[in-house]
Amino acid sequence: MYQQHIPAQVTAALQEDLNGLSADLDITAQLIPSEQLATGKVITRQDAVVCGVEWVNETFSQIAKNTTVEWQVKDGDNVVANQTLFTFSGPAREILTAERTALNFLQMLSATATSTQHYVNEIAAMQSTTKILDTRKTIPSLRLAQKYAVTCGGGQNHRIGLFDAYLIKENHIFAAGSIDAAVTTAKQLNPSAKVEVEVESLDELQLAMDAGADIVMLDNFTVEMTAQARKLSNGKVKLEASGNMDGEKFKAYAQLNIDYISIGGLTKHVDAIDLSMRFD
């Protein structure tokens, strides 16, 4: 699904940078003779999980068509500081025009993949069965790209958007009248769609289970409440822990072997990977 959106995402990024779609609009690159050629490489300055190969390729394809890009890694690969990610050769002007847009995608998506793998590795070290989920807290217009990055890091996608699964929250419940009414109507309208209900107490968890919810999100439950919820549900419904999951708090919930932990920070807290383009 993400692949069909790459050309439009790249086009929008290039237009933002160039105020158009021509390398000739780069006034700084015009300082370089048009016939000058260049070769070089892009390296990472830190350990990371690579993600964004197709976005880089598309950037060069749109704005630096005569450039050859040769990758030494692929999406999902673990790389170490100073490792070469790809080499390039072609017109120096066009390469410099493409540089920032290409690296912006690569550094941002690799950051999401790297952060995701951090949590996945911690779960593996604990021998927990918990799965890591992303959320809808994504950079506008880049949701599918970021959700793809999460999978490169070993995580799983929650719903893609408002169209493919239900997540019934407090205000939905209030407007619908009750948890039971909301879940019943959801199953009538879209029988094949997963129905998830966000709850704030064990009583609401029971109501969601009785209503036939497929998944229940435990919103800001304490570790003790989550353990009680797991016992109460007894495997009858999938449980998702949510609410500022990081650090030691994350580990405490993962040790419970809850089905899912959702982490908005995977996509909203992007600490870009440090990359560098170097001409030979």
Side-chain angles (χ1 to χ4, degrees), residues 43 64 66 73 78 93 97 114-115 119 139 172 195 212 271 274:
I43 68 166
N66 296 317
V73 296
N78 285 273
R93 270 192 185 185
T97 298
T114 302
S115 177
Y119 288 103
I139 297 172
H172 298 109
V195 178
D271 188 7
D274 189 6

Coordinates of all heavy atoms in Angstrom, one line a residue, residues 43 64 66 73 78 93 97 114-115 119 139 172 195 212 271 274:
I43 N 27.0 8.0 4.1 CA 27.2 7.1 5.2 C 26.3 7.5 6.4 O 25.7 8.5 6.4 CB 28.7 7.2 5.7 CG1 29.0 8.6 6.3 CG2 29.7 7.0 4.5 CD1 30.3 8.7 7.1
A64 N 17.0 14.1 -10.4 CA 18.4 13.9 -10.9 C 18.5 12.6 -11.7 O 19.1 11.6 -11.3 CB 19.4 13.8 -9.6
N66 N 19.9 11.5 -14.3 CA 21.1 11.0 -14.9 C 22.1 10.5 -13.8 O 23.2 10.3 -14.1 CB 21.8 12.0 -15.7 CG 20.9 12.4 -17.0 OD1 20.4 11.5 -17.6 ND2 20.8 13.7 -17.3
V73 N 23.0 -1.6 1.1 CA 22.1 -2.1 2.2 C 20.7 -2.1 1.6 O 20.4 -1.6 0.6 CB 22.2 -1.3 3.4 CG1 23.6 -1.3 4.1 CG2 21.8 0.2 3.1
N78 N 20.5 -3.8 9.7 CA 21.2 -3.1 10.8 C 22.5 -2.6 10.3 O 23.3 -3.4 9.6 CB 21.4 -4.0 12.0 CG 20.1 -4.2 12.7 OD1 19.7 -3.5 13.6 ND2 19.4 -5.3 12.4
R93 N 25.5 19.1 -10.0 CA 24.4 20.0 -9.7 C 23.2 19.2 -9.2 O 22.6 19.5 -8.1 CB 24.0 20.8 -10.9 CG 24.7 22.1 -11.1 CD 24.0 22.8 -12.2 NE 24.7 24.1 -12.6 CZ 24.2 24.9 -13.5 NH1 23.0 24.6 -14.1 NH2 24.8 26.0 -13.8
T97 N 21.2 19.0 -5.5 CA 19.8 19.4 -5.4 C 18.9 18.3 -4.7 O 18.0 18.6 -3.9 CB 19.2 19.8 -6.8 OG1 19.9 20.9 -7.3 CG2 17.7 20.1 -6.7
T114 N 14.5 2.3 13.7 CA 15.5 2.1 14.7 C 14.9 2.1 16.1 O 15.1 1.2 17.0 CB 16.6 3.1 14.7 OG1 17.2 3.1 13.4 CG2 17.7 2.9 15.7
S115 N 14.0 3.1 16.3 CA 13.3 3.2 17.6 C 12.4 1.9 17.8 O 12.4 1.4 18.9 CB 12.4 4.4 17.6 OG 11.7 4.5 18.8
Y119 N 12.6 -1.3 21.0 CA 11.5 -1.9 21.9 C 11.4 -3.4 21.6 O 11.2 -4.2 22.5 CB 10.2 -1.2 21.6 CG 10.2 0.2 22.2 CD1 10.3 1.3 21.4 CD2 10.0 0.4 23.6 CE1 10.3 2.6 22.0 CE2 10.0 1.7 24.2 CZ 10.1 2.8 23.4 OH 10.1 4.0 23.9
I139 N 3.4 11.9 11.3 CA 3.6 13.2 10.6 C 2.6 13.3 9.5 O 2.5 12.3 8.7 CB 5.1 13.2 10.0 CG1 6.1 13.2 11.2 CG2 5.3 14.5 9.2 CD1 7.5 13.0 10.7
H172 N -16.9 8.6 21.8 CA -17.7 7.7 20.9 C -18.8 7.0 21.8 O -20.0 6.9 21.4 CB -16.9 6.7 20.2 CG -15.9 7.2 19.2 ND1 -14.5 7.2 19.5 CD2 -16.0 7.9 18.0 CE1 -13.9 7.7 18.5 NE2 -14.8 8.2 17.6
V195 N -13.1 -4.6 16.0 CA -13.7 -3.6 16.9 C -12.9 -3.5 18.2 O -12.8 -4.5 18.9 CB -15.2 -3.9 17.2 CG1 -15.7 -2.9 18.2 CG2 -16.0 -3.9 16.0
G212 N -18.8 -7.9 23.1 CA -18.2 -8.6 22.0 C -17.0 -7.9 21.3 O -16.7 -8.2 20.1
D271 N 13.8 11.1 16.2 CA 15.1 11.6 16.5 C 16.0 11.1 15.3 O 16.5 10.0 15.3 CB 15.7 11.0 17.8 CG 17.0 11.5 18.2 OD1 17.5 12.5 17.5 OD2 17.6 11.0 19.2
D274 N 21.7 10.4 12.0 CA 22.7 11.3 11.5 C 23.3 10.7 10.2 O 24.1 9.7 10.3 CB 23.7 11.6 12.5 CG 24.7 12.7 12.1 OD1 24.4 13.4 11.1 OD2 25.6 13.0 12.9

